[in-house]
Amino acid sequence: GITGSAGKTTTKEFVAAAQSPLGPVLKTRGNRNTEYTAPLLWAELAGAVPGADSDVDGQDAHPTSVVVEMAMRGFGQIAHLAAFSKPTIGIVTNVGYSHMEMVGSRDGVARAKAELFDSMHEGVAIAWAEDEFLSTLKAHCRVPMVTFGYSDVATCQITAYHPTSWTSARIEGSIDGAHWTAELPAVGRHIALGAAAAVAAAVAAGVPAATAAECLRNAELPPMRMEVVDMNGATVLLDTYNAAPPSMKAAIETIAELPCEGRRLAVIGEMRELGPASEEEHRKLGRLLAEAGMDEVMFLGGATALAAAEARMRGLVVHEAGSLADVAEFLRRAKQGDSVLVKGSRALELEKAVEQARLAGAGC
């Protein structure tokens, strides 16, 4: 069972790949992770949905592992999903800001996510070692906990991260004294965290660490998560599935460290559902963009006015968009060799502006 404020779907795909040496893997299809859509996994396995495509990796064989993604918008929803999925390995990727307005605070988010661990009476709980709410998650554990992360206190520690291209990275790590190396089909230090969580889960299921890590290259990562798009010679890093402070920071750091022959540009959409934290987090975002050495940034969404003001004060060239058409025009001016980060909340649909700019540049 996998939940968390960000990275659930990517981690799910890494876990499915890492578990594959055990045999066929049944996994949540796409991002069907709500109290309405997650149960379909079991209905389809039982043949209760006529004509449904199989979710089992490995033809139609009976699965030896099941990987279930679980989302929440309020209290009780993770507990509901865990009650019938009955996970013996539980992963909380992180405690962030998503749906904070529904549960009152980040502490509320932590308690809602911890319902996964509350439900477990056997197996292993897995959490991010550097999560500031780790102690809250531990307090809800009835089973042993292992952790993943970059710090030396992590059970499954990432000891090296190196992007090998815009679409791949090499990471190294260790768990219980065993060294492992993985080639990932995506970039980003936050992406590597999902891979480490997957290695920890596979080891808990009986897969040797090195074997699990080797299988991560086969993960089928979803679109719009650090997806690389060619836009008439400019390289776009498209990460528009969600937007919260941790994932914003991770995406900005990633674009800053990737090779770039031209300018580093960004289109940043507002972060929604932050509640009372919205003002301060958007101001931090503006400061972070300026510190990352971006050349120009366009903002879209009401709350981004705060980020724009902070970035402008620090000398960053700032543009403010009123529509997707404005964003598309900004993107259309990107030149060959430029690198462009496009990131914002799902509701903004920034990927549409990328497609408009790409087609306009191609003369379509």
Side-chain angles (χ1 to χ4, degrees), residues 282-308:
H282 279 92
R283 291 191 183 279
K284 285 182 182 178
L285 173 59
R287 296 193 289 269
L288 178 61
L289 285 161
E291 293 164 2
M294 305 302 293
D295 291 295
E296 295 183 41
V297 177
M298 172 166 272
F299 293 98
L300 177 66
T304 60
L306 300 166

CSV table of all heavy atoms in Angstrom, one decimal, residues 282-308:
chain,number,residue,atom,x,y,z
A,282,HIS,N,4.4,30.7,-1.4
A,282,HIS,CA,4.6,31.4,-2.7
A,282,HIS,C,5.7,32.4,-2.6
A,282,HIS,O,6.5,32.5,-3.6
A,282,HIS,CB,3.3,32.0,-3.2
A,282,HIS,CG,2.4,31.0,-3.8
A,282,HIS,ND1,1.4,30.4,-3.1
A,282,HIS,CD2,2.3,30.5,-5.1
A,282,HIS,CE1,0.8,29.5,-3.9
A,282,HIS,NE2,1.3,29.6,-5.1
A,283,ARG,N,5.9,33.1,-1.5
A,283,ARG,CA,7.0,34.0,-1.4
A,283,ARG,C,8.4,33.2,-1.4
A,283,ARG,O,9.3,33.6,-2.0
A,283,ARG,CB,6.9,34.8,-0.1
A,283,ARG,CG,5.8,35.8,-0.1
A,283,ARG,CD,5.9,36.8,1.1
A,283,ARG,NE,4.7,37.7,1.1
A,283,ARG,CZ,4.6,38.8,0.3
A,283,ARG,NH1,5.6,39.1,-0.5
A,283,ARG,NH2,3.6,39.6,0.4
A,284,LYS,N,8.4,32.1,-0.7
A,284,LYS,CA,9.6,31.2,-0.7
A,284,LYS,C,9.9,30.8,-2.1
A,284,LYS,O,11.1,30.7,-2.5
A,284,LYS,CB,9.4,30.0,0.2
A,284,LYS,CG,9.4,30.3,1.7
A,284,LYS,CD,9.3,29.0,2.5
A,284,LYS,CE,9.3,29.2,4.0
A,284,LYS,NZ,9.0,27.9,4.7
A,285,LEU,N,8.9,30.5,-2.9
A,285,LEU,CA,9.0,30.0,-4.2
A,285,LEU,C,9.7,31.1,-5.1
A,285,LEU,O,10.7,30.7,-5.9
A,285,LEU,CB,7.7,29.7,-4.8
A,285,LEU,CG,7.6,29.3,-6.3
A,285,LEU,CD1,8.5,28.1,-6.6
A,285,LEU,CD2,6.2,29.1,-6.8
A,286,GLY,N,9.3,32.3,-4.9
A,286,GLY,CA,10.0,33.4,-5.7
A,286,GLY,C,11.5,33.5,-5.3
A,286,GLY,O,12.3,33.7,-6.2
A,287,ARG,N,11.8,33.4,-4.1
A,287,ARG,CA,13.2,33.5,-3.6
A,287,ARG,C,14.0,32.3,-4.1
A,287,ARG,O,15.1,32.5,-4.6
A,287,ARG,CB,13.2,33.5,-2.1
A,287,ARG,CG,12.6,34.8,-1.5
A,287,ARG,CD,12.9,35.0,0.0
A,287,ARG,NE,12.3,34.0,0.8
A,287,ARG,CZ,11.1,34.2,1.4
A,287,ARG,NH1,10.4,35.3,1.2
A,287,ARG,NH2,10.6,33.3,2.3
A,288,LEU,N,13.4,31.1,-4.1
A,288,LEU,CA,14.1,29.9,-4.6
A,288,LEU,C,14.4,30.0,-6.1
A,288,LEU,O,15.5,29.7,-6.5
A,288,LEU,CB,13.2,28.7,-4.4
A,288,LEU,CG,13.7,27.3,-4.8
A,288,LEU,CD1,15.0,27.0,-4.1
A,288,LEU,CD2,12.7,26.3,-4.6
A,289,LEU,N,13.5,30.5,-6.9
A,289,LEU,CA,13.7,30.7,-8.3
A,289,LEU,C,14.9,31.7,-8.6
A,289,LEU,O,15.7,31.4,-9.5
A,289,LEU,CB,12.5,31.2,-9.0
A,289,LEU,CG,11.4,30.1,-9.2
A,289,LEU,CD1,10.0,30.8,-9.5
A,289,LEU,CD2,11.7,29.2,-10.4
A,290,ALA,N,14.9,32.7,-7.8
A,290,ALA,CA,16.0,33.7,-8.0
A,290,ALA,C,17.4,33.1,-7.6
A,290,ALA,O,18.4,33.2,-8.3
A,290,ALA,CB,15.7,34.9,-7.2
A,291,GLU,N,17.4,32.3,-6.5
A,291,GLU,CA,18.6,31.7,-6.1
A,291,GLU,C,19.1,30.6,-7.0
A,291,GLU,O,20.3,30.3,-7.0
A,291,GLU,CB,18.4,31.2,-4.6
A,291,GLU,CG,18.2,32.2,-3.6
A,291,GLU,CD,17.6,31.7,-2.3
A,291,GLU,OE1,17.4,30.4,-2.2
A,291,GLU,OE2,17.3,32.5,-1.4
A,292,ALA,N,18.2,30.0,-7.7
A,292,ALA,CA,18.5,28.9,-8.6
A,292,ALA,C,19.2,29.4,-9.9
A,292,ALA,O,19.7,28.6,-10.7
A,292,ALA,CB,17.3,28.1,-9.0
A,293,GLY,N,19.2,30.7,-10.1
A,293,GLY,CA,19.9,31.2,-11.3
A,293,GLY,C,19.1,31.1,-12.6
A,293,GLY,O,19.7,31.1,-13.7
A,294,MET,N,17.8,31.1,-12.5
A,294,MET,CA,17.0,31.2,-13.7
A,294,MET,C,17.2,32.5,-14.4
A,294,MET,O,17.5,33.5,-13.8
A,294,MET,CB,15.5,31.0,-13.3
A,294,MET,CG,15.2,29.7,-12.5
A,294,MET,SD,15.7,28.2,-13.3
A,294,MET,CE,14.6,28.1,-14.7
A,295,ASP,N,17.0,32.4,-15.8
A,295,ASP,CA,17.1,33.7,-16.6
A,295,ASP,C,15.8,34.4,-16.7
A,295,ASP,O,15.8,35.7,-16.5
A,295,ASP,CB,17.7,33.3,-18.0
A,295,ASP,CG,19.1,32.8,-17.9
A,295,ASP,OD1,20.0,33.6,-17.6
A,295,ASP,OD2,19.3,31.6,-18.2
A,296,GLU,N,14.7,33.7,-16.9
A,296,GLU,CA,13.4,34.4,-17.0
A,296,GLU,C,12.4,33.4,-16.5
A,296,GLU,O,12.5,32.2,-16.7
A,296,GLU,CB,13.1,34.8,-18.4
A,296,GLU,CG,14.0,35.8,-19.0
A,296,GLU,CD,13.5,36.2,-20.4
A,296,GLU,OE1,12.2,36.3,-20.6
A,296,GLU,OE2,14.3,36.4,-21.3
A,297,VAL,N,11.4,34.0,-15.8
A,297,VAL,CA,10.3,33.1,-15.3
A,297,VAL,C,8.9,33.8,-15.7
A,297,VAL,O,8.8,35.0,-15.5
A,297,VAL,CB,10.4,32.9,-13.8
A,297,VAL,CG1,9.2,32.1,-13.3
A,297,VAL,CG2,11.7,32.2,-13.4
A,298,MET,N,8.0,33.0,-16.1
A,298,MET,CA,6.6,33.5,-16.3
A,298,MET,C,5.7,32.8,-15.2
A,298,MET,O,5.8,31.6,-15.0
A,298,MET,CB,6.1,33.2,-17.7
A,298,MET,CG,4.6,33.5,-17.8
A,298,MET,SD,4.0,33.5,-19.5
A,298,MET,CE,4.3,35.2,-19.9
A,299,PHE,N,4.9,33.6,-14.6
A,299,PHE,CA,4.0,33.0,-13.5
A,299,PHE,C,2.5,33.1,-14.0
A,299,PHE,O,2.1,34.0,-14.7
A,299,PHE,CB,4.1,33.9,-12.3
A,299,PHE,CG,5.4,33.8,-11.6
A,299,PHE,CD1,6.4,34.7,-11.7
A,299,PHE,CD2,5.7,32.7,-10.7
A,299,PHE,CE1,7.6,34.7,-11.1
A,299,PHE,CE2,6.9,32.6,-10.0
A,299,PHE,CZ,7.9,33.6,-10.2
A,300,LEU,N,1.7,32.1,-13.6
A,300,LEU,CA,0.3,32.1,-13.9
A,300,LEU,C,-0.4,31.7,-12.7
A,300,LEU,O,-0.1,30.7,-12.0
A,300,LEU,CB,0.0,31.0,-15.0
A,300,LEU,CG,-1.4,30.9,-15.4
A,300,LEU,CD1,-2.0,32.1,-16.0
A,300,LEU,CD2,-1.6,29.7,-16.3
A,301,GLY,N,-1.5,32.4,-12.3
A,301,GLY,CA,-2.3,32.1,-11.2
A,301,GLY,C,-2.2,33.2,-10.1
A,301,GLY,O,-1.1,33.8,-9.9
A,302,GLY,N,-3.3,33.5,-9.4
A,302,GLY,CA,-3.4,34.6,-8.5
A,302,GLY,C,-2.3,34.6,-7.5
A,302,GLY,O,-1.7,35.7,-7.2
A,303,ALA,N,-2.1,33.5,-6.8
A,303,ALA,CA,-1.1,33.5,-5.7
A,303,ALA,C,0.3,33.7,-6.1
A,303,ALA,O,1.2,34.1,-5.3
A,303,ALA,CB,-1.2,32.2,-4.9
A,304,THR,N,0.6,33.5,-7.4
A,304,THR,CA,2.0,33.6,-7.9
A,304,THR,C,2.4,35.1,-8.0
A,304,THR,O,3.6,35.3,-8.2
A,304,THR,CB,2.2,33.0,-9.3
A,304,THR,OG1,1.3,33.6,-10.2
A,304,THR,CG2,1.9,31.5,-9.3
A,305,ALA,N,1.5,36.0,-7.8
A,305,ALA,CA,1.9,37.4,-7.7
A,305,ALA,C,2.9,37.6,-6.6
A,305,ALA,O,3.8,38.5,-6.7
A,305,ALA,CB,0.7,38.3,-7.5
A,306,LEU,N,2.7,36.9,-5.5
A,306,LEU,CA,3.6,37.0,-4.4
A,306,LEU,C,5.0,36.5,-4.7
A,306,LEU,O,6.0,37.0,-4.4
A,306,LEU,CB,3.1,36.2,-3.2
A,306,LEU,CG,1.7,36.7,-2.7
A,306,LEU,CD1,1.1,35.6,-1.7
A,306,LEU,CD2,1.8,38.0,-1.9
A,307,ALA,N,5.0,35.3,-5.5
A,307,ALA,CA,6.3,34.8,-5.9
A,307,ALA,C,7.0,35.7,-6.9
A,307,ALA,O,8.2,35.9,-6.8
A,307,ALA,CB,6.1,33.4,-6.6
A,308,ALA,N,6.2,36.3,-7.8
A,308,ALA,CA,6.7,37.2,-8.8
A,308,ALA,C,7.4,38.4,-8.1
A,308,ALA,O,8.5,38.9,-8.5
A,308,ALA,CB,5.6,37.7,-9.7
